Structure formats: structure tokens, C-alpha cells
Amino acid sequence: MARIDPTTTRECALTSLVTVLPLAADGGGFQPPTINDFFPPPILFSGTWFEFNRVELVRIVAALVIVSLFVVAARRAKLVPGRFQSAIEWVLDFVRTGIAEDVLGKENAKRYVPLLTTVFVAILGFNLTGIVPFLNIAGTSRIGLPLLLALWVYVMYLGAGIKKHGVGGFLKASLFPPGVPPFLYVLLTPVELLQVFVIRPATLALRLTANMIAGHLMLVLCFGATEYFLVEAAPAMKAFGVLTFLSGFVMTLFEVFVAALQAYIFAVLAAVYLSLSIADEH
Amino acid sequence: MSSLILAAADTVSGNLATIGYGLAVLGPGIGLGILIGKTVEGMARQPEVSNQLRTTMFIGIGFVEVLGLLGLITGFLFK
């Protein structure tokens, strides 16, 4: 063919660009993170029901740290708190006033402060293991732990509603919200049924897990790319390593923020679900 | 030319879930923008209720954010 089609040349350029990128990755051996990071090989009791892997080890370490922090704080409690005791008291006070009393009101809050405090502190601790060196994976990045906490909240808010209104009263209050034209219940009641019994606990658990998975993948991507650029890539590419390292550092700080935010959102939503269950009928 | 297209189709590899996640974050992104922007507006108008507005905003963020995260999860679930 004598005549050169301009579109052909453009496609050539595009094709070569597309082929170069994956080849560069293959040759250098850059390994992007996968979902398998969250399913490490077992280290104990392999093949049994009690299979024990790195994530569970991290969870146990985090749980021991949380419990010992609070035991030490309670043992050494003084009337005039020191720096460590003030920090612990600040967290407890934040959950009590900032979450429980804000959402539930002073009178109702009293009964649920222990639940909300446990949930908040546990999730904060298990989230923060994602950025602690050598642990490097959030205890909440597998669905089990968030699911357990979400089920606890689920049982508590169903129980609170039933205790306050009775089974029938609770179902009526939550499935047939007052002030709605009767024919709309055809639409509203199935949605509310799904909402109260499935969507609330499921989204509580999924939101936390997915946040931690996404955060871990981003961190691994940043630091994996840094390692690849600095060690294996061509000399001209090494400057990118500094960039990815900096973004990894920023991402680590962002993960601290996300860890606290997710603990806060989980606790606030738990409080909101409790308050919806025990709300008076209007 | 058609062989070139075929070659391109051969070399473009990857997971469609990536595009799906991109689509999935459009809605929550707009939602978060409206939600947080309106809260800031409300706080500027009435600084005295900003604590209550902030709590409500975080509750809303929880609901909106889970939509984007469901996009992430489905990308892993339905390969």
C-alpha cells in the first residue's frame, strides 16, 4: 500500500505504548498488591478449624496492647491525672460526650456508654495495626472481626427496641413509620424490613473492612513501587521512587486519619441505630 | 488495519472491575461533595449548631461512603 493512512500510524503509536507498559512491569518484576495479601499462609494448626495466621496474630497482639493500656491506666488512676491518664480519659470522655450523649441524649446514653466505648476503642486499636511497622495489616481488614462487632450492635439495638416497645411495638414502630399515607406502606415496609434486619449490620461490617482493605492496598502499592523504582528500575526512573515514597508517607498519615474516622463512624452509627430503636412513637 | 486493532485487543489486558470501580465512585463522590459542602454552608450560617451538624454530616458520610466501598468489594467478589 503506497498511501499511508494517518489513523494507522496513530494506532501504531498507541499499540506500542500499550505494549511497552506491561512489558516494563513484567521485566522488572513489579508485583502489584492483590487480595491474597489478606489471606496469608497459616502458621499454626494448619488444616483445622482453628487455623491461625498472621492476621490473627496481629489481632491478638493488638488486643493485648489495648487491654494492658487500660489495665495500667486503671491501676495507676490518680485524682490529678498525668499525661498518660489524661490521654486515656480524653478518649473515654470523647466517646461519652461526643458520641453517646450527643446522639442518644444524657438519660439513654448511660446504659450504652460501655458498648460504644468498647466498640470505638477496639476498632481504633485494630485499625491502627495497619500502619504499625512489622504488624502492617489491620486486624479489621478481614470480615470476621467487623462482623462480630456489627452483630453485637445488631443484637443490642434489636434488644433495646424490643425491651422498650415489646416485639409487636418495635416491629410496628420500625416497619410502619407513622405519618405516612397507608398505601405507601406497600413500598416502604419491605425497604424498612431490609434496612433494619439486613442492611444496617451488613454495611457496618462491610464499610470498616473495605476501608481497611483499600488502605492496605494503597500503602502496599506505594511502598512496593518505591522498592521497585529504587532497586530494580532503570537509573532514569529512580527519581520516581522518591515520589512514591513521599506519597506512601502521606498515605500512612491518611491511614491514621481513616482509622480514627472509621472507629468514630462505626460508634456513631451504632448509637444512631440504638436511638432509632428506642425512639418514642410520635 | 483490522489486524492492528486485534493486536491492540490482545495487548490491552486487565480487569474490567477497575472500570467498574471508577464508575462506582462517581455517585458517592458527587454525594460527598454536596453533603460536606452543604454542611459547611450551614456551619457558616449558624456556627452555634456546628457540633450537631458535624455529627449528622459524619452519619451521612457513613451512608454515602459505603456505596463507593461496595464498588470496591464487588470488584473483588465477582471476577
Side-chain angles (χ1 to χ4, degrees):
Chain A
M1 219 162 71
R3 199 169 53 92
I4 296 173
D5 193 354
T7 54
T8 319
T9 48
R10 200 181 305 144
E11 266 166 20
C12 274
L14 257 183
T15 321
S16 58
L17 189 72
V18 166
T19 42
V20 163
L21 283 176
L23 271 184
D26 279 347
F30 172 61
Q31 305 247 321
T34 63
I35 197 74
N36 294 329
D37 286 13
F38 301 96
F39 301 96
I43 50 179
L44 268 182
F45 311 122
S46 172
T48 62
W49 278 39
F50 303 99
E51 216 171 77
F52 188 85
N53 60 30
R54 215 169 72 78
V55 183
E56 270 116 38
L57 185 68
V58 165
R59 283 175 183 167
I60 288 179
V61 170
L64 285 179
V65 168
I66 295 169
V67 169
S68 48
L69 268 183
F70 275 87
V71 166
V72 168
R75 280 262 173 85
R76 287 212 219 126
K78 291 191 203 99
L79 195 59
V80 182
R83 202 173 285 173
F84 171 63
Q85 199 188 334
S86 307
I88 298 275
E89 279 181 8
W90 186 84
V91 171
L92 295 179
D93 188 60
F94 171 73
V95 178
R96 177 182 291 271
T97 56
I99 299 175
E101 290 180 0
D102 232 35
V103 178
L104 286 161
K106 242 190 166 75
E107 203 41 51
N108 288 324
K110 245 178 246 161
R111 203 181 314 154
Y112 300 112
V113 164
L115 163 73
L116 296 174
T117 310
T118 312
V119 162
F120 180 84
V121 172
I123 291 177
L124 185 63
F126 287 118
N127 282 355
L128 282 178
T129 57
I131 50 150
V132 174
F134 304 112
L135 296 179
N136 280 338
I137 194 161
T140 42
S141 61
R142 293 264 301 260
I143 193 76
L145 184 60
L147 199 62
L148 182 74
L149 291 168
L151 280 179
W152 185 24
V153 172
Y154 182 58
V155 170
M156 285 299 281
Y157 80 70
L158 288 185
I162 289 171
K163 200 170 165 194
K164 179 93 189 276
H165 302 297
V167 177
F170 172 65
L171 286 180
K172 185 170 172 295
S174 51
L175 299 185
F176 299 94
V180 179
F183 62 89
L184 267 187
Y185 285 137
V186 182
L187 285 174
L188 206 56
T189 304
V191 174
E192 289 288 316
L193 187 75
L194 206 63
Q195 176 91 356
V196 172
F197 290 103
V198 182
I199 292 181
R200 278 179 192 173
T203 52
L204 268 185
L206 275 180
R207 178 183 302 114
L208 182 56
T209 317
N211 257 302
M212 290 302 117
I213 288 176
H216 180 79
L217 290 181
M218 271 199 303
L219 285 183
V220 175
L221 197 61
C222 282
F223 290 121
T226 306
E227 198 247 348
Y228 166 70
F229 278 133
L230 290 184
V231 178
E232 292 177 36
M237 303 283 273
K238 287 204 194 297
F240 284 110
V242 180
L243 197 70
T244 51
F245 180 76
L246 275 182
S247 54
F249 183 71
V250 173
M251 279 300 161
T252 308
L253 295 182
F254 181 67
E255 277 309 297
V256 180
F257 170 69
V258 169
L261 184 71
Q262 286 310 311
Y264 176 69
I265 285 186
F266 196 108
V268 163
L269 283 177
V272 167
Y273 295 155
L274 283 167
S275 80
L276 285 177
S277 288
I278 57 180
D280 287 319
E281 289 166 68
H282 300 293
Chain B
M1 202 171 122
S2 65
S3 65
L4 268 176
I5 294 175
L6 277 181
D10 269 348
T11 48
V12 177
S13 60
N15 199 338
L16 206 58
T18 321
I19 299 173
Y21 183 63
L23 290 176
V25 290
L26 284 180
I30 296 170
L32 283 176
I34 293 175
L35 177 64
I36 298 167
K38 288 281 176 189
T39 311
V40 171
E41 215 172 86
M43 283 176 178
R45 277 168 199 257
Q46 279 173 292
E48 64 273 14
V49 288
S50 48
N51 267 334
Q52 207 180 344
L53 285 180
R54 196 176 299 121
T55 311
T56 319
M57 180 187 82
F58 276 120
I59 296 169
I61 284 180
F63 289 132
V64 174
E65 178 197 43
V66 80
L67 300 173
L69 291 170
L70 284 178
L72 178 75
I73 291 286
T74 42
F76 286 118
L77 278 185
F78 308 113
K79 273 192 184 155

